Amino acid sequence: MRARTPVAVSLLLVLIPLLVAAFGPLIPMDPPPGLPYEQSAGHPLGTDGLGRDVLQLLLVGGRTALGMAIGAVAVAYLVGGLIGLVAASTRHRWLDELLIRPLDVLLPLPSLLVISVVAVGWRASALAITLAVAAVNVPTVARLVRAAALDAASGPVVEALRMQRESWFGIHLGYVGRAVLGPVAADVGTRITLAVFLVASVNFLGLGLSPTAPDWAVSVSRNREGLLLQPWAVLAPALLLVAFTLGFNLLADRLVHRTRRMAEVAR
């Protein structure tokens, strides 16, 4: 069923939260404070438990909700991808073991527990949470890139490029890097979704950002007790988070199917 979902629908689900997160803070809004969980003409989506305008919170809360997750995946691929490429291309088994084996120790650690401990130690630090989410993703990213790059890195094309005295970066970030683009692109979609879930979970549990932060997950957690009084205070940020993760999952699923078809054709 996922593969049959129109691409336009998936893109729309992703773009709406992204556009709100990127451009929402630029929209000038300064509504007067109201009563807690109030619904009035001056507040189109009502107010939250602190009397703040829900629409304004939506416009400014996406940068942390999505920015932390996307930034964490970018750091994970920058670090883990480089480790995986070096491990796949090295001719020394000891270097491969030295790079990969320590990461295997980190794989069994519960991701949410690790991030929660970091969040408690560095309370309300968006940077600390982002780096913690990146750290728990580095081992799987490194192993994925290594596995995807092994065949290309040990093939005759790389040997020919070495004989032509091409630089290491030219060979592995050029030829080998292109060989791993398919698996990496398919993985990025699910990894960003996981990162959004981890960041939102920590913030929802009250272990991450300040309880008064406009972050979408924090808003859901803080206002859930008033769900029956003013549902938009909870539903609006929750719908944006769900739309983004659902859309990215659908796009990633289509990309996986496309990658498999291209691999079958190449065979």
Side-chain angles (χ1 to χ4, degrees), residues 258-267:
R258 184 176 179 181
T259 303
R260 287 175 179 172
R261 287 198 299 268
M262 291 175 63
E264 291 173 358
V265 171
R267 292 175 186 174

Side-chain angles (χ1 to χ4, degrees), residues 30-235:
D30 191 21
L35 298 174
Y37 302 126
E38 179 185 16
Q39 292 179 323
S40 64
H43 304 284
L45 296 180
T47 61
D48 71 346
L50 299 178
R52 299 178 298 179
D53 185 71
V54 171
L55 180 59
Q56 184 182 28
L57 295 177
L58 286 181
L59 294 176
V60 300
R63 285 194 173 178
T64 53
L66 303 184
M68 290 165 62
I70 295 173
V73 173
V75 172
Y77 264 97
L78 182 64
V79 177
L82 184 60
I83 292 174
L85 279 177
V86 173
S89 61
T90 183
R91 296 180 176 182
H92 305 289
R93 183 174 178 82
W94 64 268
L95 181 57
D96 184 13
E97 296 285 336
L98 181 64
L99 291 170
I100 297 300
R101 293 308 172 195
L103 298 180
D104 290 343
V105 178
L106 300 177
L107 279 174
L109 296 178
S111 300
L112 188 56
L113 176 61
V114 173
I115 299 167
S116 299
V117 171
V118 172
V120 171
W122 286 271
R123 185 72 175 178
S125 172
L127 178 60
I129 298 173
T130 300
L131 294 178
V133 174
V136 299
N137 280 282
V138 164
T140 50
V141 167
R143 294 194 69 86
L144 170 73
V145 173
R146 177 183 177 274
L150 272 176
D151 288 339
S154 58
V157 175
V158 169
E159 292 298 327
L161 292 173
R162 283 173 178 162
M163 293 178 64
Q164 295 175 9
R165 297 190 177 182
E166 290 283 343
S167 66
W168 187 94
F169 288 98
I171 296 173
H172 295 92
L173 295 183
Y175 172 72
V176 179
R178 288 196 299 270
V180 303
L181 278 180
V184 165
D187 178 71
V188 165
T190 55
R191 198 156 300 282
I192 286 180
T193 300
L194 175 62
V196 170
F197 166 76
L198 290 174
V199 170
S201 297
V202 172
N203 288 334
F204 179 83
L205 294 173
L207 303 175
L209 300 177
S210 167
T212 59
D215 180 87
W216 293 344
V218 174
S219 295
V220 173
S221 174
R222 184 181 57 246
N223 299 307
R224 65 185 187 276
E225 294 180 354
L227 178 61
L228 297 180
L229 296 175
Q230 213 292 78
W232 284 116
V234 176
L235 294 181

Side-chain angles (χ1 to χ4, degrees), residues 234-258:
V234 176
L235 294 181
L239 286 173
L240 287 174
L241 284 171
V242 170
F244 182 81
T245 54
L246 178 60
F248 240 109
N249 267 327
L250 293 172
L251 289 176
D253 192 56
R254 293 183 67 91
L255 189 57
V256 169
H257 284 287
R258 184 176 179 181

